[in-house]
């Protein structure tokens, strides 16, 4: 009999173990996500469902166990727990990397997890309904307030289907669902890219990205998983750019941490490029905004350096003059062009949903700063990978394998 994933109300985690112990003595509770594992013969499912701390139960397959293990490790990093892959950070009193003529930071935490990348799914995902007892969705909901959960939309679209074809995990409002385009310019949605159907035309991916590696040698080197990887890297760039804004707004020497992305997959991606923080960058150097430009963002103080803001800004950049519809297209050039010209009111409009400004404003940063931040991120970004079958992890460089390893 298969083990069971027991989904715990995240507001009841403190007393969940005691309550579960009233019906079973065999309990394994994940450290950082509100899910427990109970042997299939360890308790009656009905008795578990009657517990007030339990919000769902699901049979635990081997793949699900590996994914949840990875999400638990990711949640530890997101929560700031030091671990074997902790990298970067500047303690107060230690030298902070700087650019001549720019502000000098005082301290920065170790690398943060800007995004979780989940590019998984069954080839029959298009036919699988979303379950309220889905353990992966429950875990993603738990971490979504502290990182951007980027999920591949799936490759199972068929124009003859009347229903939507998104992967169940991509349907959740807690994730950034990513579809794929056939071309680098984003003008053609890939025929396989999952999307809404006749019955749910509104259920489309949140954004599209190019679904192919620039080094692709076969038709197998394509899919929404490639697109999701691209978007995860772009989220890291946006998070760092917004952290730079927050540092300018704080004005107390608060530094900008290195970004990272946690990738959960069925196998490690390519040959590893061992991680080493590029000297002298244990943190991102500070760059000043234009004089007075950041003051208009004072109402957003404390809300800039957040996953919600990162997702909102990336989506706003994708929607601006998008070559695709209804889902907007994002790419590195489109994102950097948007950030280069972004004003305080553009950012406020993206995060709070306000109307964009009707009169011209100067950009927040001098020309070329977004491009420079992108270079720093691409050079120092940590990639934490989790391989599901082996339950092993590693850290590497180069999320987007467009360069030979």
């Amino acid at each position: 009999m298969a083990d069971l994933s027991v989904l715990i109300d995240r507001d009841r985690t403190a007393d969940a173990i005691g309550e579960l112990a009233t019906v079973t003595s065999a309990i394994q509770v994940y450290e950082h996500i509100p899910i427990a594992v109970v042997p299939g013969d360890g308790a009656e499912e009905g008795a578990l469902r009657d517990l007030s701390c339990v919000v769902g139960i699901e049979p635990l397959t081997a793949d699900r166990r590996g994914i949840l293990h990875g999400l638990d490790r990711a949640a530890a990093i997101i929560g700031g727990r030091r671990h074997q892959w902790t990298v970067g950070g500047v303690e107060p009193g230690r030298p902070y990397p700087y650019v001549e003529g720019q502000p000098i930071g005082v301290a920065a935490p170790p690398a943060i997890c800007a995004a979780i990348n989940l590019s998984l799914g069954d080839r029959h995902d298009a036919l699988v309904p979303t379950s309220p007892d889905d353990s992966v969705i429950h875990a993603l909901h738990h971490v979504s307030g502290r990182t951007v959960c980027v999920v591949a939309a799936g490759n199972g679209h068929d124009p003859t289907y009347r229903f939507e074809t998104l992967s169940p995990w991509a349907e959740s409002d807690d994730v950034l669902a990513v579809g794929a385009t056939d071309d680098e310019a984003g003008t053609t949605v890939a025929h396989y890219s999952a999307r809404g159907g006749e019955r749910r035309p509104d259920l489309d991916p949140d954004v599209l990205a190019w679904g192919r590696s620039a080094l692709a040698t076969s038709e197998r080197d394509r899919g929404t998983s490639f697109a999701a990887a691209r978007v995860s890297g772009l989220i890291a760039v946006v998070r760092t750019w917004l952290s730079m804004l927050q540092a300018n707004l704080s004005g107390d020497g608060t530094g900008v941490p290195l970004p990272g992305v946690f990738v959960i997959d069925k196998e490690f991606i390519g040959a590893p490029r061992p991680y080493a923080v590029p000297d002298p960058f244990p943190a991102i150097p500070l760059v000043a905004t234009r004089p007075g430009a950041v003051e208009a963002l004072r109402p957003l103080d404390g809300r800039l350096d957040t996953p919600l803001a990162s997702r909102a800004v990336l989506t706003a950049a994708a929607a601006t003059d998008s070559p695709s519809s209804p889902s907007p297209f994002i790419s590195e050039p489109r994102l950097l062009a948007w950030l280069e010209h972004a004003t305080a009111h553009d950012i406020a409009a993206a995060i709070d949903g306000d109307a964009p400004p009707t009169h011209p404003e100067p950009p927040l940063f001098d020309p070329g700063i977004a491009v420079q931040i992108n270079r720093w991120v691409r050079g120092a970004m940590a990639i934490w990978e989790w391989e599901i079958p082996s339950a092993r992890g590693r850290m590497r460089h180069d999320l987007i394998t467009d360069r030979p390893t």
Side-chain angles (χ1 to χ4, degrees):
M1 185 178 291
D3 291 348
L4 300 175
S5 290
V6 179
L7 284 54
I8 299 169
D9 183 339
R10 63 178 179 176
D11 295 327
R12 298 286 309 281
T13 53
D15 55 350
I17 295 178
E19 195 171 348
L20 287 167
T22 64
V23 296
T24 180
S25 59
I27 313 168
Q28 174 202 342
V29 180
Y30 286 101
E31 285 188 75
H32 306 284
I33 55 176
I35 294 175
V37 177
V38 174
D41 57 358
E44 290 291 332
E45 183 174 330
L48 289 168
R49 288 190 182 276
D50 287 341
L51 298 177
S52 61
C53 68
V54 174
V55 296
I57 296 176
E58 179 187 54
L60 184 62
T61 64
D63 275 356
R64 294 277 174 138
R65 188 188 298 271
I67 294 168
L68 293 177
H69 197 168
L71 286 171
D72 190 58
R73 294 296 299 271
I77 295 175
I78 293 164
R81 180 174 176 179
R82 287 193 170 268
H83 51 90
Q84 68 191 81
W85 301 326
T86 295
V87 64
V90 179
E91 297 288 341
R94 303 294 298 173
Y96 192 101
Y98 68 95
V99 175
E100 195 69 38
Q102 295 289 351
I104 300 176
V106 173
I112 62 166
C113 182
I116 291 176
N117 179 270
L118 197 60
S119 297
L120 295 165
D122 189 277
R123 64 190 180 91
H124 302 298
D125 263 355
L127 308 176
V128 178
T130 302
S131 167
D133 289 351
D134 193 298
S135 56
V136 174
I137 291 177
H138 185 68
L140 290 171
H141 175 68
H142 178 68
V143 301
S144 63
R146 295 173 292 163
T147 192
V148 179
C149 301
V150 180
V151 178
N155 301 331
H157 185 69
D158 186 323
T160 64
Y161 293 163
R162 297 182 61 193
F163 48 84
E164 51 78 20
T165 54
L166 263 68
S167 161
W169 298 335
E171 292 183 19
S172 169
D173 291 338
D174 296 316
V175 310
L176 184 69
V178 182
T181 65
D182 271 332
D183 59 324
E184 193 171 4
T187 60
T188 308
V189 180
H191 66 88
Y192 56 79
S193 182
R195 67 199 79 169
E198 181 181 324
R199 294 181 181 177
R200 290 290 307 277
D202 59 311
L203 194 60
D204 281 309
D206 296 298
V207 294
L208 302 174
W210 189 26
R212 195 173 178 88
S213 167
L215 299 179
T217 57
S218 73
E219 287 300 301
R220 293 182 58 192
D221 297 329
R222 66 175 187 175
T224 57
S225 58
F226 283 94
R230 291 183 185 280
V231 170
S232 296
L234 297 179
I235 284 289
V237 175
V238 173
R239 181 70 180 267
T240 304
W241 189 89
L242 287 169
S243 294
M244 193 72 74
L245 278 185
Q246 183 62 58
N248 275 270
L249 196 58
S250 300
D252 58 1
T254 299
V256 176
L258 302 178
V261 173
F262 197 102
V263 180
I264 300 175
D265 213 332
K266 291 182 178 178
E267 60 183 10
F268 288 137
I269 304 170
R273 182 177 298 213
Y275 189 88
V277 179
D279 185 49
F281 292 127
I284 301 294
L286 295 185
V287 178
T289 52
R290 290 174 183 262
V294 79
E295 284 306 310
L297 292 173
R298 189 66 60 187
L300 294 176
D301 193 2
R303 296 169 54 203
L304 292 168
D305 184 16
T306 64
L308 182 63
S310 297
R311 176 173 174 165
V313 166
L314 181 129
T315 304
T320 302
D321 300 323
S322 175
S324 64
S325 66
S327 298
F329 173 74
I330 192 65
S331 65
E332 185 175 284
R334 281 176 51 75
L335 174 64
L336 295 182
W338 194 91
L339 294 177
E340 281 286 308
H341 296 92
T343 68
H345 284 92
D346 288 331
I347 300 303
I351 296 174
D352 281 343
D354 299 334
T358 56
H359 57 279
E361 293 181 65
L364 285 157
F365 290 101
D366 287 333
I369 297 303
V371 173
Q372 181 58 66
I373 290 174
N374 181 61
R375 289 196 193 103
W376 285 332
V377 169
R378 298 300 184 177
M381 179 168 57
I383 309 301
W384 300 292
E385 282 187 303
W386 185 260
E387 188 178 62
I388 295 169
S390 66
R392 293 186 301 122
R394 72 180 185 186
M395 186 164 59
R396 59 173 282 152
H397 275 309
D398 297 335
L399 178 63
I400 307 301
T401 54
D402 281 353
R403 295 180 296 278
T405 55

